[in-house]
Amino acid sequence: MLVSAKEMLTKAKAGKYAVGQFNINNLEWTKSILLTAEELKSPVILGVSEGAGKYMCGYKTVVGMVNGMLEELNITVPVALHLDHGSYEGAKACIEAGFSSIMFDGSHYPIEENVEKTKELVAICEEKGLSIEAEVGSIGGEEDGVVGAGECADPNECKMIADLGVTMLAAGIGNIHGKYPDNWEGLSFETLDAVQQKTGDMPLVLHGGTGIPEDMIQKAISLGVSKINVNTECQLSFAEATRKYIEAGKDLEGKGFDPRKLLAPGADAIKATVKEKMELFGSVGKA
Ligand code: 13P
């Protein structure tokens, strides 16, 4: 059964480790992530962007697929199904469809409007027992057409949003979605520290988990980050393994590629990436 992310993140914050959010795009990714979490006895959050939701036929299909896998793969570790960077309408649609967690990204609105919309969604999530992530200060890079400049959040605005009763807070600290450019200045630990001072026990979320050096990840966890999002790194490992398989031309005997064999190396590559991240984040054995 899907669970809200609240308990797993409260435990992570207290235990000084982070739970990974791995984005899903299809059946193979989902299966790989769930099997790895079960094998490593790690809690896990499955992230779904609005674009990925559309690609997978809509949120109800996603909920049906994930619930089916939890049962048929005998998954016993805590799993949350979470909308990633949701719009106000997207958040409502996911609540309706049966997600156990949502992110409302109101960071592009003026702070008053972000507060207003977040407050309304907090009330709905509270009533239904779902977790909710809010964002202050946009994350840089581009994800599903949403472009951010990588700004650092204002700690006072973070407190305003945290006080609305959200479960977790994503605060921009110079992090970027996708690959970091060569001239990236690194995470702003000064901002993170100030946000953590203002928001106390609130689990903080680090987006753009791909390509952040290990020591920075560990320092961020020590300063209150208890959820880390990873997408691009799974994409890169999946693509590389698939490309190698096609180049080797193994199934080309007049029948084209066997679709199951074609996607198997990519699925294995995702397992390896997820394992590496769970070990780095310290969530292994914490289920
Ligand atoms: P990356 O694609 O950089 O791993 O970021 C993922 C993310 O933050 C999803 O919200």
Side-chain angles (χ1 to χ4, degrees), residues 230-251:
V230 178
N231 178 45
T232 304
E233 207 150 319
C234 289
Q235 205 160 302
L236 292 170
S237 61
F238 183 79
E240 176 65 6
T242 311
R243 189 183 58 76
K244 274 197 193 140
Y245 185 79
I246 292 174
E247 279 176 6
K250 292 209 184 80
D251 284 354

Side-chain angles (χ1 to χ4, degrees), residues 21 23 84-85 103 139 143 176-180 206-210 229-233:
Q21 172 191 307
N23 283 40
D84 189 28
H85 290 284
M103 172 181 189
I139 313 292
E143 196 185 34
I176 296 175
H177 286 130
K179 281 196 158 179
Y180 286 86
L206 183 62
H207 282 247
T210 296
N229 293 4
V230 178
N231 178 45
T232 304
E233 207 150 319

Side-chain angles (χ1 to χ4, degrees), residues 65-77:
M65 174 179 75
V66 173
N67 276 330
M69 280 193 197
L70 293 184
E71 189 180 329
E72 301 200 292
L73 296 173
N74 296 314
I75 304 296
T76 61
V77 297

Side-chain angles (χ1 to χ4, degrees), residues 100-244:
S100 63
S101 187
I102 55 150
M103 172 181 189
F104 168 59
D105 180 357
S107 60
H108 48 284
Y109 290 118
I111 186 70
E112 297 76 22
E113 197 171 347
N114 192 357
V115 166
E116 203 49 47
K117 289 191 157 71
T118 302
K119 207 156 123 184
E120 195 190 315
L121 290 166
V122 164
I124 301 175
C125 288
E126 243 169 36
E127 194 197 316
K128 294 187 180 286
L130 310 182
S131 42
I132 174 166
E133 174 178 344
E135 178 170 332
V136 181
S138 73
I139 313 292
E142 192 243 315
E143 196 185 34
D144 257 347
V146 182
V147 183
E151 71 189 70
C152 283
D154 173 340
N156 290 317
E157 291 188 357
C158 289
K159 180 163 170 46
M160 265 167 87
I161 297 278
D163 286 349
L164 300 175
V166 299
T167 318
M168 49 197 148
L169 184 73
I173 54 167
N175 38 334
I176 296 175
H177 286 130
K179 281 196 158 179
Y180 286 86
D182 292 339
N183 59 356
W184 181 52
E185 288 176 9
L187 296 176
S188 168
F189 292 111
E190 204 183 308
T191 307
L192 179 57
D193 195 27
V195 171
Q196 138 106 342
Q197 305 265 347
K198 292 265 180 195
T199 56
D201 288 341
M202 170 73 43
L204 300 175
V205 183
L206 183 62
H207 282 247
T210 296
I212 300 178
E214 294 196 0
D215 57 335
M216 285 196 200
I217 292 275
Q218 273 147 358
K219 187 158 182 195
I221 294 173
S222 77
L223 288 170
V225 163
S226 15
K227 171 176 177 278
I228 304 178
N229 293 4
V230 178
N231 178 45
T232 304
E233 207 150 319
C234 289
Q235 205 160 302
L236 292 170
S237 61
F238 183 79
E240 176 65 6
T242 311
R243 189 183 58 76
K244 274 197 193 140

